[in-house]
Amino acid sequence: PLSVSAEDGRTMRDAAAASGLATAVNFALSDRDVVLEVERALAAGEAGEVLGVDVRLQFPQWPREFQADAAWLDGRQQGGFVREVFSHFAYLTDRLLGPLRAVDVSADFPAEGSEVAARGLLRAGDVPVHFTGVAGVAGPEVYEWVLWGTRRSYRLRDWARLEVFEDGSWNPVPSRRRGSDASRLGLFAEAVRGTGSPNLAGFDIALRVQEAVEAFHA
């Protein structure tokens, strides 16, 4: 997500910190209203104690149909759903709960191509994060991130559908704005002009995401 190698990523992070210049990585969840709502709820203590996070990804086809011409996405060197998709949810978890690190992760690879399954335990600060992903299954495409709290739990599905569990059921949370490449470019333009935004992913968090993601390929 940040660079070809972790060594290059560390160089980029250090250079960005030393320069004071605006930097950002295009994580799709960084400025979405549903993310800002969970962030607000956590800051207000509405979730209670956070006990864990579950991330589940499922793909009947990889690469996905709209990426079928991007052959590199099915290569082990650069591709795979852990890099291409899980990285966004790794960023989200790090942003909301603290520095993310891999604890015990692994992936299954065919003779040729990117991973067909991945699973693992990570931690965001002290919070356990469980991830499972699979490709090539007879089933629907699934994108699901769940934060389990003692008072309320939050479930993000399909990138933009947020639900909160309270009073015995999952209830939808209205969303006003999905966020987009254009909106994030607007935030970056403001950052270049000197107005910082907490809704941009800097090189420091992007490096942590990269290190967590590449642990599946170690």
Side-chain angles (χ1 to χ4, degrees), residues 43-91:
E46 294 175 10
E49 181 184 358
V50 178
L51 300 180
V53 168
D54 286 331
V55 184
R56 185 166 69 98
L57 302 175
Q58 181 175 296
F59 305 97
Q61 173 184 330
W62 187 266
R64 292 163 291 183
E65 184 175 357
F66 74 93
Q67 295 174 317
D69 292 336
W72 60 271
L73 276 171
D74 194 32
R76 184 166 180 176
Q77 184 176 6
Q78 301 179 63
F81 62 80
V82 174
R83 290 185 177 116
E84 176 72 4
V85 181
F86 175 66
S87 58
H88 293 278
F89 295 94
Y91 158 77

Side-chain angles (χ1 to χ4, degrees), residues 128-140:
V129 179
H130 296 95
F131 166 61
T132 59
V134 63
V137 297

Side-chain angles (χ1 to χ4, degrees), residues 22-44:
T23 61
V25 174
N26 187 28
F27 285 112
L29 295 169
S30 61
D31 68 335
R32 294 199 170 186
D33 281 0
V34 289
V35 171
L36 303 185
E37 171 58 22
V38 177
E39 193 168 49
R40 181 206 63 77
L42 289 173

Side-chain angles (χ1 to χ4, degrees), residues 26-37 88 91 95 156 158-161 174-187 199-200:
N26 187 28
F27 285 112
L29 295 169
S30 61
D31 68 335
R32 294 199 170 186
D33 281 0
V34 289
V35 171
L36 303 185
E37 171 58 22
H88 293 278
Y91 158 77
R95 169 176 169 166
L156 177 61
D158 300 331
W159 302 97
R161 296 168 56 193
S175 175
R176 300 180 303 280
R177 180 175 57 84
R178 290 176 60 93
S180 66
D181 291 344
S183 65
R184 288 184 289 279
L185 283 170
L187 291 176
N199 300 325
L200 289 174

Side-chain angles (χ1 to χ4, degrees), residues 145-164:
W145 179 91
V146 185
L147 181 146
W148 300 104
T150 55
R151 293 181 59 193
R152 291 177 180 169
S153 296
Y154 297 85
R155 180 168 66 182
L156 177 61
R157 295 192 294 157
D158 300 331
W159 302 97
R161 296 168 56 193
L162 180 63
E163 300 166 325
V164 58

